[in-house]
Amino acid sequence: MTSLACCSQGFGHVALIDIRWDRWRTDDSGRYLVSPRVVSHLANCSTDATRGLSSGRLCGARALAVVDETAYVVSEMSNSLSVVVLPARLSKDFMGFAPPTIVPEFVGTLVDTRLEGAYAVAVNGANAYVASRWCKTCVVLVRFVFVRVRDA
């Protein structure tokens, strides 16, 4: 991503938040302050109140790692690692054309019992390293093998 925005995670969603340079200012003491703006979000969790169960790919989204235009999100209640592609830009280009989309999209999700209680993720190349609350002595290695094709 070209310094357009960052992501935040929450219960059942990932929000795309605009924190570009023009949203920053300094106060009288010289401290940097930002006025963030939520641009869009991706939600994927629903709760059945009668049974007390949640289902979806982002239930309990706990941590994320962003590499280029891709976010890797671990969700401790979904036992999952989701790969989400972020929009290439948020504002009009130099010709005045709006971006084709500003909504993040799922590339895929891996659900595995070894990811139960996933609370941290780090990405290096084609590997993701996931820490789990229920596996105190291990880090789960997930190797990605996918080809992403994106419209220009």
Side-chain angles (χ1 to χ4, degrees), residues 1-24:
M1 225 162 68
T2 57
S3 69
L4 294 179
C6 74
C7 293
S8 89
Q9 73 280 354
F11 187 79
H13 73 274
V14 173
L16 192 60
I17 303 170
D18 182 356
I19 58 165
R20 289 177 287 183
W21 67 269
D22 59 340
R23 307 208 55 87
W24 289 84

Side-chain angles (χ1 to χ4, degrees), residues 108-123:
T109 300
L110 171 67
V111 178
D112 192 295
T113 56
R114 292 172 290 185
L115 298 175
E116 183 178 8
Y119 70 91
V121 61
V123 177

Side-chain angles (χ1 to χ4, degrees), residues 7 10 14 26 40 42-43 56 63 66 78 82-83 100 102 105 109 119 125 129 133 141:
C7 293
V14 173
T26 56
S40 65
L42 179 64
V66 177
S78 298
S82 295
V83 179
I102 60 169
E105 299 174 12
T109 300
Y119 70 91
Y129 303 90
R133 294 189 195 287
L141 169 65

